[in-house]
Amino acid sequence: MFHIMKKFIQSALQRKYLEKRAVFIIMLVLVLLPLKLKGVYFYHCMIFTFYFAVLGTSWNIISGYSGAVSLGHAAFLSIGAYTSTILLINFQLTPWIGMLIGGSLSALSGLVICYPATKLKGPYFVMSTAAFAEILRYLTSQSKFAGGASGLIIPVVTGNSLYWFQFIEKWPFYYIILFFTIIVVFISYKIENSKVGLYLMAIRENRGAAQMLGVNVAKYLRMATCLSAFFTGIAGTFYAQYMVYISPDAIMGLGESIKIALVAIIGGMGTFIGPIIGAALYFGVGEIVRFLLGAEISGLSSFIYGIILIVFILLFPKGLVQFLKDMGGRFERYFIH
Amino acid sequence: MFFEIRNLSKNFGGLKAVNEVSFSVKKGEIVGIIGPNGSGKTTVFNLVTGFHTPDRGFVIFKDEVISNLRPDQICKRGIARTFQIPQPLPRLSVLKNVMVGAYSKTSEEGEARRKGLAVLEFLGLLGQKDVLAEKLRGATMRRLELARALATDPEILMIDEIAAGLNPTESAAIVKVIKQMREDTGLTILIIDHVLNVVLNVVDRLVVLHHGEMIIEGLPHEVIMDRKVTEVYLGEYHVGA
Amino acid sequence: MAIMLLQAIVCGLLNGGVYALISMGLALIFGVVKVVNFAHGEFLMLAMYITYWVFTRWGVDPHLSLFLCSGTLFFVGYVTQKLLIERTFNKPFEGELQIFVTVALSLAFINGMHMIGKADYRGINLSYASMALNIQSLTFNFLKAVSFFLALIVSYLIYLFLMKTDRGRAMRAVTENREAAALIGIDVNKNYCLAFGIGAGLTGIAGALLTPSFYVFPGVGLLFVLKAFVIIVLAGMGSVSGAFIAALIVGVLESLGGFLIGAAYTQMLIFAIFILSMLFRPNGLFRRRE
């Protein structure tokens, strides 16, 4: 009897089937979810979870795979958000095109970050990204054109409008961000298993050795940064359209950059699935804490969250995904031996 | 001329690390570069592979001056090297390490993987293909260095002190591998080493460096008998096996 | 005009004194432990809150509570190193881990303060806060002048400690070469804890000195921490004496800049200088030897 069970589990664990089936089922669930569950709050949580999943996955491309940890991604986010918003306000340009333009501008500014990436090591690079984001934040809060410190309000039309990227209900936003998430995660997955991904990881592990093995470090870092910045910028436009308000304090601070990085870190830097798990954890934990503590004492949830993060990072230094992979490996070996 | 170093010179803040070194290498030759510590051997390697740019002089490969190219460009042109202190990609598996090398000549995952597995098999590392590079022992890590370099399909392989710190059995195994490489593929090899049996049993010609200058070159047995060399080396040479 | 410039310079110098304390603390931590302490601003914030409470409850003058602050923060720093940072040594992704542990710590502190103290801006009013000294035609704020001199004294003490005492020399040895120091019998981990403690303690003193002239709120540390990073990079990370000088320079730059081009642009300029200096003078502006 036990033998039969063992066989069953063995076949279920067969790599190929497991992954493809799991992915399919999960996607199905996510797509059908809105039909079952309702509630503004639920949507808001899911939307923000996916939003951070997109951000974390994009961040992962340059920081997880290539090892160039960035604490300045809020800059890319804002360039995207502000570009599409300014174009919308001043030229009535549909945010969809504005989004692409914003993403491209972010990618271009990514090139600016690239030069330090090739020259600076470790903590120096991290700080230069933070400084870059701060410079941008100051510039924005001084600029009347960009609304200054009071930010910009996205002009609203009545009713739903696909063209103006505005909806009264939440569910369209849900599907849009789900779509973005799928795309970005898919791209990340493709990268991870390709030459580009391996080259980026080689750059992370040992730049000198990578060069000697034929990796054009500057070129690949540029590629990674631009890709990462582009998708982050696109997420920025989504944020602008969803929240209908952007300001330097809301999306340009060091805190935002840290959130983006944290999502990828706790899920697992350097794996395509890590940031998704991280985003889920980020919101999951936040919700659980809020739920358990009933009435929200200002800051308590964030405080506990900070504590949990510390514990988490120390317990799972490679991130949850790697931990599970290691566990899974042991699990598998037991059944296959 | 297949490969030539001409008047190569490099200063580091007043120290003449390499000074007017010139020699050439024929296709298919194995040339050994020896000399006491600090004589500039590794610097020559660094200059050839593009980690430093020479202050004077040229490196010429297949009629092209490569002295000012980037390391990755030089690798693509067919010159690969190993490092004196192994430089693995620590958190990647042995196979992935090697595939990075293989990708220098192809962009297709399947092809890179095949090449990688073939090279691993040649060096007897196939059984450890999924082991993380940082977990390897010293001698195995050296073989990984070789495997990675070979995976780039080089025409010239530059080996930097691969036998250092190995016991006689291990260094004999390395000698065997090097000879096999030349037999199988007609690879041209430049090899730096101190260990006598590696140097004498494998090279066709020897170049001796001292204080950044080339003091003699020629056939191995002649060179090591030469008075200049024994003077320079007295007390510095250690005999392996 | 010249007088106004001079005034700005003097003002900047005075500010620089406090910056110096904060940056020297960060430099010490980075130099010895080689960790980028993102929670450094929160050390400052804690000290400011302590000073505030001690003043409002019991009327203790900040210049006295700086002893309490330095002691408490020393303890906090020591414990941080012992319990948290030490845990990250020799783990995969060690460098990134350390960054994120200190970042998470910073989050925890900021939000903890949010809980305890609410987000209100608080301030203390010292009776002599607006007292001014007049020398020649220059006006000094008395409080700032006192802070500056205290900062000078503390800096000198630290200098003496690092240069003249055995413990200080041990710490410098660890900064130069961790392995070699361990080989000659120096307890590296203990030195780490000490360095972290002293670094935090210095910041504690700065916090006490800043409280009379700055609003106290949970996020106040963030205002200073990036500046401190700029300073230690300009100085050459790990150089405590360099941090002192660089802090004064930044103070003066800020003051002059504020006077000539406005505060916001000055901040941007400082960050720009920061990035440029990292690119072109990665060893800092003052490294005498290679």
Side-chain angles (χ1 to χ4, degrees), chain C residues 155-166:
Chain C
S155 305
Y156 185 63
L157 287 175
I158 292 291
Y159 171 78
L160 284 180
F161 169 73
L162 286 177
M163 294 288 157
K164 308 281 180 189
T165 68
D166 282 340

Side-chain angles (χ1 to χ4, degrees), chain A residues 36-259:
Chain A
K36 262 277 165 171
L37 298 168
K38 308 266 178 197
V40 170
Y41 190 59
F42 157 75
Y43 273 120
H44 185 74
C45 280
M46 294 300 285
I47 290 175
F48 256 85
T49 305
F50 287 127
Y51 169 69
F52 272 102
V54 170
L55 289 176
T57 310
S58 312
W59 182 88
N60 195 35
I61 294 177
I62 180 65
S63 300
Y65 293 142
S66 324
V69 174
S70 155
L71 280 186
H73 257 57
F76 301 134
L77 185 67
S78 333
I79 291 178
Y82 270 91
T83 306
S84 67
T85 307
I86 290 177
L87 288 174
L88 176 62
I89 292 178
N90 292 307
F91 301 108
Q92 286 79 53
L93 185 62
T94 160
W96 294 101
I97 301 191
M99 180 171 81
L100 290 175
I101 300 182
S104 311
L105 271 182
S106 289
L108 271 173
S109 64
L111 287 178
V112 168
I113 281 287
C114 232
Y115 182 64
T118 46
K119 291 272 171 185
L120 300 175
K121 309 218 168 82
Y124 292 94
F125 175 67
V126 177
M127 290 192 294
S128 70
T129 57
F132 174 66
E134 276 299 287
I135 292 180
L136 220 59
R137 188 169 72 88
Y138 274 109
L139 272 173
T140 312
S141 49
Q142 292 299 108
S143 158
K144 279 190 218 88
F145 175 65
S150 34
L152 294 175
I153 300 184
I154 280 74
V156 166
V157 298
T158 46
N160 293 324
S161 163
L162 190 62
Y163 183 76
W164 296 115
F165 204 151
Q166 268 168 34
F167 311 98
I168 302 186
E169 293 110 47
K170 300 265 186 201
W171 63 263
F173 284 114
Y174 174 84
Y175 281 113
I176 293 176
I177 194 68
L178 178 58
F179 180 66
F180 284 161
T181 309
I182 293 177
I183 292 189
V184 174
V185 170
F186 179 70
I187 292 182
S188 184
Y189 171 73
K190 275 284 162 190
I191 290 180
E192 186 168 316
N193 292 309
S194 74
K195 173 176 177 176
V196 175
L198 191 55
Y199 268 17
L200 290 179
M201 291 191 264
I203 292 176
R204 177 189 73 203
E205 295 296 307
N206 190 329
R207 255 181 223 197
Q211 276 191 305
M212 181 218 90
L213 291 168
V215 179
N216 183 341
V217 173
K219 167 175 160 192
Y220 281 89
L221 279 180
R222 274 200 298 269
M223 207 189 283
T225 324
C226 288
L227 221 63
S228 181
F230 179 74
F231 288 116
T232 309
I234 294 212
T237 301
F238 176 84
Y239 177 91
Q241 296 302 125
Y242 178 65
M243 298 296 282
V244 193
Y245 171 65
I246 55 176
S247 77
D249 283 335
I251 54 172
M252 297 187 83
L254 188 56
E256 277 307 297
S257 299
I258 291 177
K259 256 190 249 177

